Amino acid sequence: MIPNGYLLFEDESLLDSTVAKMNALRKSGQFCDVRLQVCGHELMAHRAVLACCSPYLFEIFNSDIEPHGVSHVTFDDLDPEAVEILLNYAYTAQLKADKELVKDVYTAAKRLKMERVKQICGNYLLSKMESHSAISFRNFSSCMGDGRMLSKIDIYIQEHLLEVSEQEDFFKLPRLKLEVMLEDSLSLPSNGKLYSKVLNWVQRRLWENGDQLDRLMEEVQTLYYSADHKLLDGALIIEEHGMFGVGAEEDHMQLVQKKPPRENSNTKRQPSSSTSGSSSPSGLASNTPKPCRREWKYIASEKTTNNTYLCLAVLDGVLCVIFLHGRNSPQSSPSATPCLMKSLSFEAQSEELEEHPLTSMHYARSGLGTATLHGRLIAAGGYNREECLRTVECYDPKEDLWTFTAPMRTARARFQMAVLMGQLYVMGGSNGHSDELSCGETYDPHTDTWAQVAELRTNRCNAGVCSLNNKLFVVGGSDPCGQKGLKNCDAFDPVTKTWNNCAPLNIKRHQAAVCELDGFMYVIGGAESWNCLNTVERYNPENNTWTLIAPMNVARRGAGVAVYNGKLLVVGGFDGSHALRCVEVYDPVRNTWRMLGSMTVARSNAGVAALGDVICAVGGFDGNNFLNTLEVYDPETDEWSDLLLIVFCDFLYVSGRDGNHFWRVA
C-alpha cells in the first residue's frame, strides 16, 4: 500500500529470519561483545540484545568504562544451563526448559531482573505443586523472597495440610510441642486465634526471656490457658499462683514444674534478621542479634483429634511444625477389656449381644512394619505425624489386646518387615530427621532384644523386604540422592552375614508391596518418581530373573500385601490423589486380578498381614488422620470388619477356628 504517497511494507518473515540468524551468530561467537562466565562455563552474546532483555545487565553495560570493548560478567552461583536457556529466550522470545531446570531458570531470571520470565517460571511451579512438593516449593519461594508465590503456596497448604503433613519434607521440619492445661469450664479457641496466641507466647520467650528457638523444641512446653483467655507459662502459674496446688497428681506436677534457668536467660534477645547467616547445627535460627526482624506467620492448622491440633507456622523466620494438646487433667491409660473376635462362632444361653471396636494400638502409625510371629501380629515403628517411632506393639487375637515388646534400636518409618528363620528383620527406612537409613536390625522373640545386622549397600527408604529361600531380600526404594524409585535388589545371607547383588527390577519402584508366594518373590505396584504403578514383577531365584506379570486393576503405592490360600491380597494404598479402601486378589494359576470387598476406611502406608484365617490391616493414613485402628477381612464372607461381638451370658461356649476350645464367662 502507498497511503499519502509513502511506501509502507511489513516483512514478517524478516523478523523471524533476523532473530534466527542473530542466535546462530551468538552460538558461533561471531560479532559477540559479551562474555558471561558462569561457574567455569563461558557463554558468548551481544551486548545490545542482553541490555534490552535484562535490566541487571543493562546497568552493568551502562557503567562500563570502555563501552566498545568486550564486557566480562561473572556469575559463580547460577546454573550454566539455566543461563543458556535465558539467552535463547532473549534472542528467540521462546522459553523452553526441562521441568528439573525451572527452579534454576527462575533463580537466574531473578538475578538478571527478568521479571516476566520469573513470573512464568513461578506460575509453572505452582501448577505442578502437589502435597509432596509443597514444603520444598515454599522453602524455595521464601529464599527467593517471592511474596506472590508464598501467598499462593500457603493457600494450597491451608487446603491440603493433612496430605502435606504425611510427606517426607514435613517430617524434616523443626517441631515445637506444646501442652496446654485448661480449667474445666474452658475450651481452646478456634485455630486462628489459638495460634496467634502461640506465636505471641514464643515471641515473649525468645525476646523477653532470652530463650533460643531450638532449645524450646528440645522438650514439651507446658502452658496454661487462663480464664481471661491468655496463654501463660505453666511454670509461672504454679510458682506465682499455686494454680494446681495441693491435691494435684504427681505426674501432673512433673509436666508443669518450672524448668531450670538457662545460661544468659536474663539477657533479652533482639529480633533477628531475615537475611541469611550462620545457623545452629539443628538448622534453627541462630541467637546472634541481627538488625531487623524475621518473619512470624501462622500458615495453617487442623484439629486432628479431640483437643489436639497440628499447625504449620513461621517462627522467627523458621518454618516449623507445632503440635498442641489441650488437657483438663492427667491422662489415664484405658484398661483393656477382654473380648472375642467376631469371626468366632458361638453358642450361648441367656445371651445379650453387643458390638465393640477391635482394640486399637497405643500409637497411631503410618509407614510401619508389620509381620506375623508365633500367632501374633507385630507392628513396629512408623510415624504418627509428630515423630518417627521406635516402639513395637504385639497384638494377641485371643485377648484382643495390644502389648509392648522391646523397642527397636533406631526410630524409623517407611520400611517393611519380614520374618526369617524365626526372627524379625527390618531394613532401611527414614527416621524423619536425616536422609534414608542404611542400618538394619533383627528381633529375637526368645530374648526380647534387637541386634544390629550388616548395613545395606545403599541408603534407602520405602524399599520392599521379603524372606525367600532362607535369605532376606530388599527391593527398590528411594535414596538420599533424590531418586524416587530404584531398581536395586539385594539379598542378605543371615549365616554369612553378607549382602549380594541380584538382578535389578525391570521398572524403578518405591513404596511397592513385596511378598513371597510358592518360591517366587512378587513386587507389586509402587511408584516411579511420584507416578503410581499398577505393574507387577515376579522374581525367580532359580535363574535370577524378573518377569512382568498381569497388572493390577488399580495403580497404587503404599499398599499392603498378604498371602491367603495360595493367592495375593493387595490392600489399600494411594493412587496419586486419594488414600484407597479397595482390595484386589491375584491368582497365580490364572495370572489374573479381581476386586474384593473394600475396607471400612481408606488406608495408605498401613500394615497388612495374615493372622490365622483372617487378614489384618492396621494403622496407616486415611487422607485426613493417622490411624491406630485395626480391622480384619474374612475371606469366607468377603467382608472387612472393625468390630468385636461381645456376648454376655451365664455360660458361653465358643468354637475357635483353630480347634474346639471352651471358655466359661461368669
Side-chain angles (χ1 to χ4, degrees):
M1 297 179 63
I2 309 178
N4 300 324
Y6 291 95
L7 174 64
L8 180 61
F9 170 68
E10 294 182 3
D11 190 347
E12 296 180 358
S13 63
L14 177 63
L15 181 60
D16 294 336
S17 173
T18 302
V19 166
K21 289 178 180 178
M22 289 181 66
N23 202 30
L25 291 173
R26 174 185 73 84
K27 292 183 176 181
S28 64
Q30 292 180 277
F31 310 120
C32 292
D33 51 3
V34 177
R35 295 178 185 270
L36 302 180
Q37 301 288 339
V38 186
C39 292
H41 295 258
E42 185 175 80
L43 304 175
M44 305 292 290
H46 303 94
R47 184 176 1 213
V49 176
L50 299 190
C52 291
C53 296
S54 167
Y56 176 83
L57 292 175
F58 177 87
E59 294 170 5
I60 292 178
F61 300 151
N62 201 39
S63 61
D64 277 354
I65 299 176
E66 298 180 6
H68 300 295
V70 177
S71 296
H72 291 80
V73 185
T74 300
F75 299 102
D76 293 327
D77 53 354
L78 299 182
D79 186 280
E81 288 186 69
V83 176
E84 174 66 23
I85 289 169
L86 291 181
L87 292 183
N88 277 323
Y89 170 78
Y91 280 81
T92 67
Q94 292 183 347
L95 188 66
K96 185 177 181 181
D98 291 338
K99 60 183 180 180
E100 293 81 7
L101 281 173
V102 174
K103 285 186 178 179
D104 293 321
V105 174
Y106 179 105
T107 302
K110 175 180 171 63
R111 182 72 174 276
L112 298 179
K113 298 183 179 179
M114 300 172 69
E115 294 299 322
R116 177 62 174 163
V117 175
K118 192 180 80 169
Q119 183 178 1
I120 294 299
C121 290
N123 290 341
Y124 176 86
L125 292 173
L126 290 172
S127 71
K128 298 299 180 182
M129 183 170 59
E130 296 180 1
S131 58
H132 69 269
S133 58
I135 296 296
S136 63
F137 278 17
R138 194 189 193 283
N139 289 336
F140 174 77
S141 302
S142 180
C143 290
M144 294 293 104
D146 192 325
R148 183 185 70 93
M149 279 189 69
L150 278 175
S151 63
K152 292 183 179 295
I153 293 172
D154 287 349
I155 290 172
Y156 178 90
I157 292 175
Q158 289 165 13
E159 296 174 349
H160 302 85
L161 179 60
L162 293 177
E163 291 92 336
V164 171
S165 71
E166 193 193 11
Q167 307 305 319
E168 195 78 16
D169 286 344
F170 187 87
F171 286 95
K172 295 180 181 180
L173 295 175
R175 301 163 188 168
L176 178 64
K177 301 177 184 179
L178 305 176
E179 184 164 52
V180 179
M181 298 308 214
L182 300 166
E183 291 185 3
D184 291 339
S185 59
L186 292 180
S187 59
L188 290 172
S190 60
N191 288 1
K193 292 181 180 179
L194 173 62
Y195 281 98
S196 66
K197 295 178 186 293
V198 170
L199 264 62
N200 289 335
W201 176 82
V202 177
Q203 287 177 331
R204 291 198 305 270
R205 289 294 298 264
L206 266 58
W207 298 346
E208 296 177 10
N209 298 354
D211 286 341
Q212 298 178 28
L213 185 55
D214 52 353
R215 287 188 176 178
L216 285 181
M217 296 182 178
E218 290 175 358
E219 54 192 11
V220 176
Q221 303 296 320
T222 302
L223 312 180
Y224 177 75
Y225 188 54
S226 65
D228 57 354
H229 306 294
K230 292 181 180 179
L231 208 55
L232 306 174
D233 185 275
L236 295 178
I237 296 300
I238 290 177
E239 183 178 89
E240 298 177 11
H241 303 287
M243 184 61 65
F244 298 105
V246 179
E249 297 186 28
E250 183 178 355
D251 62 337
H252 193 169
M253 294 300 294
Q254 289 174 349
L255 282 171
V256 297
Q257 65 184 346
K258 186 172 178 62
K259 297 177 177 59
R262 303 192 185 278
E263 186 177 353
N264 299 327
S265 61
N266 293 325
T267 303
K268 289 189 177 182
R269 180 175 178 267
Q270 298 299 319
S272 54
S273 169
S274 60
T275 57
S276 60
S278 61
S279 61
S280 64
S282 63
L284 301 177
S286 168
N287 67 335
T288 305
K290 301 290 182 180
C292 62
R293 246 180 225 196
R294 290 182 185 258
E295 181 184 15
W296 291 82
K297 182 180 180 181
Y298 158 81
I299 298 175
S301 63
E302 285 284 350
K303 186 174 182 180
T304 57
T305 59
N306 187 30
N307 265 353
T308 301
Y309 294 83
L310 164 74
C311 172
L312 190 64
V314 182
L315 305 180
D316 202 19
V318 180
L319 185 62
C320 299
V321 179
I322 303 174
F323 298 99
L324 186 149
H325 176 64
R327 56 182 289 191
N328 297 91
S329 60
Q331 292 178 341
S332 59
S333 300
S335 58
T337 303
C339 303
L340 302 174
M341 298 191 74
K342 187 178 180 181
S343 58
L344 299 176
S345 60
F346 62 90
E347 295 177 7
Q349 297 177 357
S350 303
E351 62 190 24
E352 294 180 11
L353 306 182
E354 185 176 344
E355 289 184 332
H356 282 269
L358 287 161
T359 301
S360 298
M361 292 186 293
H362 295 85
Y363 289 94
R365 302 172 187 268
S366 181
L368 68 159
T370 52
T372 303
L373 186 66
H374 301 323
R376 299 188 178 188
L377 178 66
I378 309 296
Y383 49 88
N384 63 354
R385 192 188 305 281
E386 185 172 325
E387 60 186 342
C388 283
L389 303 171
R390 291 175 57 220
T391 55
V392 181
E393 301 187 46
C394 176
Y395 179 72
D396 185 343
K398 293 181 180 178
E399 300 291 336
D400 183 39
L401 181 65
W402 288 93
T403 56
F404 286 105
T405 65
M408 295 185 294
R409 300 163 64 96
T410 301
R412 67 181 79 218
R414 298 183 185 274
F415 69 100
Q416 293 181 18
M417 182 162 62
V419 178
L420 177 62
M421 295 183 177
Q423 295 194 340
L424 296 175
Y425 280 80
V426 298
M427 296 302 308
S430 171
N431 63 13
H433 300 288
S434 60
D435 291 326
E436 286 74 3
L437 302 172
S438 62
C439 61
E441 47 192 303
T442 181
Y443 174 75
D444 186 340
H446 301 293
T447 60
D448 191 29
T449 57
W450 291 86
Q452 279 188 304
V453 298
E455 292 196 349
L456 288 164
R457 297 181 174 189
T458 304
N459 294 45
R460 49 181 155 170
C461 71
N462 288 320
V465 177
C466 173
S467 61
L468 175 66
N469 291 352
N470 291 327
K471 292 183 180 179
L472 185 76
F473 288 80
V474 179
V475 189
S478 54
D479 67 11
C481 299
Q483 293 191 66
K484 298 295 184 183
L486 302 173
K487 289 186 175 181
N488 305 42
C489 178
D490 299 308
F492 176 72
D493 188 328
V495 177
T496 62
K497 302 186 186 306
T498 57
W499 288 95
N500 294 294
N501 291 332
C502 301
L505 292 163
N506 291 294
I507 300 172
K508 296 179 179 180
R509 299 174 191 268
H510 69 114
Q511 294 193 59
V514 179
C515 75
E516 180 271 341
L517 175 61
D518 295 334
F520 295 96
M521 177 167 54
Y522 290 81
V523 178
I524 305 161
E528 182 177 7
S529 185
W530 294 104
N531 298 318
C532 293
L533 304 170
N534 68 341
T535 54
V536 183
E537 302 185 43
R538 181 172 61 197
Y539 177 71
N540 186 346
E542 297 297 326
N543 55 18
N544 190 32
T545 58
W546 290 94
T547 304
L548 286 165
I549 61 173
M552 291 185 292
N553 296 292
V554 178
R556 56 181 95 204
R557 58 179 170 90
V561 61
V563 176
Y564 177 79
N565 197 25
K567 298 178 182 178
L568 299 177
L569 273 72
V570 177
V571 180
F574 187 76
D575 66 359
S577 300
H578 306 92
L580 301 173
R581 295 174 55 229
C582 61
V583 180
E584 48 189 305
V585 61
Y586 174 72
D587 185 339
V589 176
R590 295 182 174 86
N591 190 30
T592 57
W593 291 88
R594 65 182 178 86
M595 304 305 293
L596 297 178
S598 295
M599 291 184 290
T600 62
V601 296
R603 298 177 189 264
S604 66
N605 293 312
V608 176
L611 187 60
D613 281 354
V614 297
I615 306 298
C616 298
V618 62
F621 181 71
D622 68 0
N624 292 304
N625 298 301
F626 287 75
L627 306 174
N628 65 347
T629 55
L630 169 70
E631 59 182 296
V632 295
Y633 174 73
D634 186 343
E636 292 186 3
T637 62
D638 190 29
E639 291 181 346
W640 290 84
S641 175
D642 59 356
L643 298 176
L644 292 167
L645 189 63
I646 302 178
V647 184
F648 297 95
C649 56
D650 293 332
F651 297 96
L652 173 64
Y653 302 97
V654 181
S655 175
R657 291 184 181 276
D658 54 353
N660 293 324
H661 304 282
F662 300 94
W663 289 265
R664 177 180 173 127
V665 179

